[in-house]
Amino acid sequence: MNRRARRAKTDRIDLAQLMRAFLAYLRGEPGVCSMVRVPTPEDEDRKRRTRERERLLKERTAHTNRIEGLLHGQGIRDAMALKPSFLADLDQMRTGDGRDLPPRLRDEIRREHERLLLVHKQIKAVEAENAAAHRAPAKGSWRRRWFSLPSSRRSGRSSPRF
């Protein structure tokens, strides 16, 4: 028999269960419930670049798939949209039965390729920001304090090794 069918489910019963769990948590009973740590605005901001990069990668994949799908519909299988000579090659492409690409389709592919190049440029910019952020010493770290010292105090036998 289904367990939900046997038990009453009301807001009052739910509140009583939540209160019992919370009071047990306050008494220090282990494993009763776990509390979620709310991230600070700084933590959320730190994650922003990674989230943006993931979103841009998905968008790049979508544009590439769109271009390849349009070309596959015409019988063209070996086109690489991120290749530097793609637009020049597009003018030379022939359909599977030997015809030129229709002009409106060629224009649509060009516009889609422009969007792809824009996203690709944005991905490179975000990756450059990530690389620069990883190279810089963290705020409050001993490396930052070390590099903030005058160079005369940094030299000597007691200098840390990297």
Side-chain angles (χ1 to χ4, degrees), residues 1-9:
M1 183 173 199
N2 188 355
R3 290 183 62 184
R4 289 181 184 250
R6 286 187 284 151
R7 291 190 182 169
K9 180 100 170 111

Side-chain angles (χ1 to χ4, degrees), residues 73-100:
Q74 298 298 316
I76 301 169
R77 305 272 186 255
D78 58 351
M80 295 187 334
L82 284 174
K83 189 174 159 184
S85 64
F86 175 77
L87 288 177
D89 295 344
L90 185 64
D91 293 330
Q92 308 302 322
M93 288 183 190
R94 302 250 176 226
T95 62
D97 57 357
R99 295 179 288 117
D100 285 338

